Amino acid sequence: APWEKQVRHSSTPRRPNGFSVLVTGAAGFIGSHCCLALKKRGDGVLGLDNFNDYYDPTLKRARQNLLTKHQIFIVEGDLNDAPLLTKLFDVVPFTHILHLAAQAGVRYAMQNPQSYVSSNIAGFVNLLEVAKTANPQPSVVWASSSSVYGLNTENPFSERDRTDQPASLYAATKKAGEEIAHTYNHIYGLALTGLRFFTVYGPWGRPDMAYFFFTKDILQGKPIDIYQTQDQKEVARDFTYIDDVVKGCLGALDTAEKSTGSGGKKKGPAQLRVYNLGNTSPVPVGRLVSILEGLLNTKAKKHVITMPRNGDVPFTHANVTLAYKDFGYKPTTDLATGLRKFVKWYVSYFGIQPRVKKETQNTKESG
Ligand code: NAD
Ligand code: UGA
């Protein structure tokens, strides 16, 4: 069947000992970037995505078109479709799963809590159920989140800090994912690596995230809301540039051990790891806005709200020593540099020209 042929072709590695990776959430922001990076170095990649309309699916289709140009095929389907997943594993001997599909966003959980439970808990379990019986058993690298630190006050956050105070349902489902991973590792010998991403931004990014809609609203002369903490301080985020995150994902895949198989008893325990992938340099949201104002050559109409946004944490700040030690993770892009690349993409993608300041060509690329 043509479908099977596309699936096989896309997932076949082109380099010796290359991986064959199932990337879930491949039409998403981080997923599409990871697919391209894996393909570029000769790994086989098959995408899975349900193209849901949490944000404009046109953007997901545009990312898909880009992937298609690089001969990366995305199977349209849901994490909860067990027969579909089983069929994929019957056709392809995946060496790895890069599991990025999820219901993201902190605020939307107040409108649609079930979508978080369905994708982030039930969907993850469904994927692991199929992975545990697959032959070979793949190593799994999956997206956790900085939000698991919740109201943690240690600064910076290290992987050993407490994660028992989630501030949103999104955070609670990401934390649940880490507990679920533990049981699949323990009982079935699956090798699992969780990556706690910190507010990732960049070209092809998510329209529901602040940097993206701030850009839109500033360009359209609309007011933007800037939330504060409980004690009316500035909220800060450890904004992390997409290329740094992609390097981290590939590093985690490269150093992932093989799964040891059922029980893990005979062959020794499989690996279970969790890493922060942040930028190690938190920036107040006000500073994010002023960088955008400069890049867009437009003053923002700022509306300061002297309260936290529902579900928000006051700050995030990653300690990445562990990821550096284990796979050389080292973020290299500061917020101003990364936002310049984002704005460049934004104006070209949406065909906006006039108000953007002519940037003096800075060729010192960091990625
Ligand atoms: P995204 O929304 O752009 O990508 C997720 C993709 O998964 C989407 O294309 C969506 O259609 C797909 N999807 C969702 N539910 C699905 C399901 N049930 N079945 C199949 N496909 C499904 O988000 P992103 O920013 O690329 O995030 C990727 C991962 O990283 C997510 O797990 C997210 O929670 C996590 N994360 C992201 C950030 C960030 O700042 N971007 C930070 C921390 C963690
Ligand atoms: C982001 C992603 O949206 C989550 O999917 C992800 O899991 C999380 O990062 C993470 O790192 O784990 P968040 O940091 O809340 O979550 O990202 P945004 O929604 O873009 O908000 C960034 C900052 O802007 C927050 O401090 C928020 O308070 C602020 N903000 C947001 C405003 O001041 N005004 C707004 O209108 C929206």
Side-chain angles (χ1 to χ4, degrees):
W3 183 86
E4 261 193 49
K5 213 176 145 192
Q6 277 174 307
V7 164
R8 277 188 216 278
H9 182 78
S10 187
S11 56
T12 303
R14 305 278 164 215
R15 65 171 167 107
N17 301 316
F19 300 162
S20 192
V21 189
L22 174 67
V23 180
T24 73
F29 168 42
I30 302 174
S32 58
H33 280 277
C34 286
C35 284
L36 289 169
L38 288 166
K39 196 76 179 185
K40 195 171 170 190
R41 66 177 205 180
D43 289 327
V45 182
L46 182 73
L48 176 78
D49 205 292
N50 68 0
F51 293 87
N52 69 46
D53 63 359
Y54 163 60
Y55 60 78
D56 187 4
T58 319
L59 181 58
K60 297 183 184 180
R61 292 297 173 189
R63 296 185 189 121
Q64 181 185 31
N65 289 341
L66 182 64
L67 265 52
T68 305
K69 284 191 192 129
H70 291 84
Q71 274 137 61
I72 301 164
F73 184 60
I74 302 182
V75 173
E76 190 161 345
D78 199 280
L79 288 172
N80 287 298
D81 186 345
L84 172 68
L85 292 184
T86 306
K87 191 170 173 201
L88 291 179
F89 280 88
D90 283 345
V91 175
V92 183
F94 291 110
T95 56
H96 297 78
I97 300 177
L98 181 57
H99 174 49
L100 302 172
Q103 176 59 60
V106 171
R107 275 251 277 206
Y108 182 63
M110 260 117 14
Q111 280 160 257
N112 190 353
Q114 290 307 335
S115 66
Y116 290 79
V117 178
S118 168
S119 291
N120 305 1
I121 298 182
F124 190 31
V125 169
N126 199 44
L127 180 67
L128 295 178
E129 277 296 313
V130 177
K132 83 176 198 214
T133 52
N135 186 15
Q137 238 189 358
S139 285
V140 182
V141 174
W142 93 96
S144 183
S145 160
S146 73
S147 65
V148 300
Y149 291 109
L151 305 174
N152 176 38
T153 51
E154 300 293 328
N155 189 358
F157 301 165
S158 87
E159 289 84 351
R160 286 177 311 277
D161 289 351
R162 61 189 293 195
T163 55
D164 58 348
Q165 318 166 84
S168 66
L169 182 68
Y170 169 73
T173 61
K174 284 292 174 177
K175 165 73 173 166
E178 295 190 355
E179 313 287 14
I180 289 163
H182 186 268
T183 62
Y184 277 81
N185 170 263
H186 176 70
I187 299 176
Y188 304 109
L190 274 180
L192 284 131
T193 306
L195 302 176
R196 293 174 179 167
F197 301 143
F198 284 67
T199 315
V200 189
Y201 72 99
W204 298 98
R206 267 171 42 203
D208 64 311
M209 288 182 68
Y211 73 94
F212 196 117
F213 63 76
F214 281 175
T215 299
K216 181 170 178 242
D217 292 346
I218 292 172
L219 284 171
Q220 295 181 353
K222 289 187 187 153
I224 58 172
D225 292 336
I226 299 177
Y227 292 89
Q228 294 187 333
T229 63
Q230 203 70 58
D231 47 2
Q232 293 181 20
K233 288 197 189 117
E234 277 201 277
V235 175
R237 286 288 177 274
D238 198 5
F239 297 103
T240 310
Y241 189 62
I242 183 64
D243 291 2
D244 288 324
V245 168
V246 169
K247 278 188 213 150
C249 291
L250 269 52
L253 285 166
D254 286 339
T255 52
E257 277 176 8
K258 290 208 167 89
S259 296
T260 57
S262 189
K265 279 171 202 134
K266 280 169 242 137
K267 300 172 194 164
Q271 206 178 33
L272 175 71
R273 314 179 292 171
V274 175
Y275 297 100
N276 287 341
L277 288 188
N279 195 50
T280 72
S281 167
V283 175
V285 175
R287 171 80 187 127
L288 166 83
V289 173
S290 62
I291 295 172
L292 287 176
E293 288 179 319
L295 292 169
L296 301 168
N297 200 20
T298 309
K299 269 262 161 271
K301 293 194 179 107
K302 286 177 254 182
H303 180 211
V304 177
I305 298 175
T306 56
M307 265 179 10
R309 192 178 61 147
N310 248 327
D312 253 7
V313 296
F315 75 98
T316 62
H317 182 186
N319 173 329
V320 300
T321 315
L322 200 59
Y324 178 73
K325 185 170 128 297
D326 285 4
F327 47 88
Y329 172 75
K330 204 176 176 189
T332 59
T333 313
D334 64 37
L335 186 59
T337 307
L339 283 177
R340 193 188 326 114
K341 293 182 184 183
F342 165 70
V343 167
K344 194 176 164 201
W345 168 82
Y346 185 95
V347 296
S348 123
Y349 181 78
F350 290 105
I352 300 161
Q353 294 303 330
R355 290 165 103 178
V356 178
K357 187 166 59 181
K358 221 170 164 41
E359 283 298 319
T360 43
Q361 207 57 43
N362 185 347
T363 46
K364 231 182 88 196
E365 304 279 307
S366 49

